[in-house]
Amino acid sequence: MTGNAPLGALFWAFIRIGLLGFGGGPAMIPLVRQEVVKRHAWLSDEEFADILAIGNTLPGPIATKMPGYIGYRVAGTLGCIVAVGAVILPMIVAMIALLTAFSRYRDVAWIRGMGQAVVPVVMVMMGQLAWDFLDKSKLVLGWLVSLTMAAAAGVLIYLLGVHPGLVIGAILAAALLRPVPRKARAS
């Protein structure tokens, strides 16, 4: 199917998605479907569902994975670049404009209050994320191992100053080098 889409049509389809996709990647999925399946018929519903399923299994934001693959699929490597560029362009422009305005007016009381009000909200979001990770870890490793690893990581990172990437790398290496129990090898 490579080569079917004119780059201009690809650009305008994904720029619309980038402009209207408030709420992040999951909120963009219906917009992507509307553009690539309904409006332009570059993909069938089944192909779109397959791309969505595969995209959700890979790490990283779906908001760039889907446009990248769809762009590649319908217009080759240049299509991939155009689709990803078009979907992120509105976000880049908005971030530059908002950060410029924030920097210029940061001493205005209501702007300063807005910036300060975001901190507790982000704190709650990060707390929820940490709880979700702990809950998932508990299901896989159990409470004792999860809390022991969290405590060890905390000591290494916060008390000893070890970079978090090194701690994560060491855990991954230990998991890869861990001997496989005999029961697991036999099955």
Side-chain angles (χ1 to χ4, degrees):
M1 197 157 181
T2 301
N4 303 26
L7 293 176
L10 198 59
F11 176 82
W12 288 112
F14 281 100
I15 200 93
R16 275 191 296 273
I17 294 164
L19 285 169
L20 302 173
F22 291 101
M28 290 179 162
I29 293 169
L31 298 172
V32 174
R33 183 179 173 275
Q34 175 64 31
E35 289 290 334
V36 303
V37 175
K38 299 292 184 192
R39 180 176 284 191
H40 296 286
W42 292 326
L43 300 173
S44 68
D45 267 325
E46 294 77 25
E47 291 169 320
F48 181 81
D50 289 343
I51 292 168
L52 178 60
I54 292 168
N56 275 316
T57 63
L58 300 171
I62 195 79
T64 53
K65 288 184 288 190
M66 285 188 73
Y69 181 72
I70 292 167
Y72 178 77
R73 175 102 182 254
V74 301
T77 303
L78 194 53
C80 173
I81 294 166
V82 167
V84 172
V87 84
I88 66 171
L89 183 64
M91 292 180 270
I92 292 169
V93 170
M95 286 299 296
I96 290 170
L98 289 172
L99 289 174
T100 300
F102 186 76
S103 293
R104 178 173 288 156
Y105 299 108
R106 70 174 150 228
D107 294 328
V108 175
W110 70 272
I111 298 285
R112 189 173 50 252
M114 230 174 42
Q116 293 168 346
V118 168
V119 173
V121 174
V122 172
M123 179 186 68
V124 169
M125 291 169 56
M126 296 302 287
Q128 180 63 48
L129 182 64
W131 182 258
D132 289 347
F133 281 150
L134 180 62
D135 199 37
K136 287 176 182 154
S137 176
K138 173 194 69 147
L139 291 174
V140 174
L141 301 172
W143 276 113
L144 182 62
V145 174
S146 294
L147 292 175
T148 302
M149 288 180 70
V155 167
L156 289 168
I157 294 168
Y158 293 109
L159 296 180
L160 300 177
V162 177
H163 191 279
L166 294 175
V167 174
I168 292 169
I171 291 170
L172 291 174
L176 288 172
L177 298 174
R178 189 179 90 203
V180 179
R182 286 184 181 249
K183 287 181 183 177
R185 270 189 260 160
S187 51

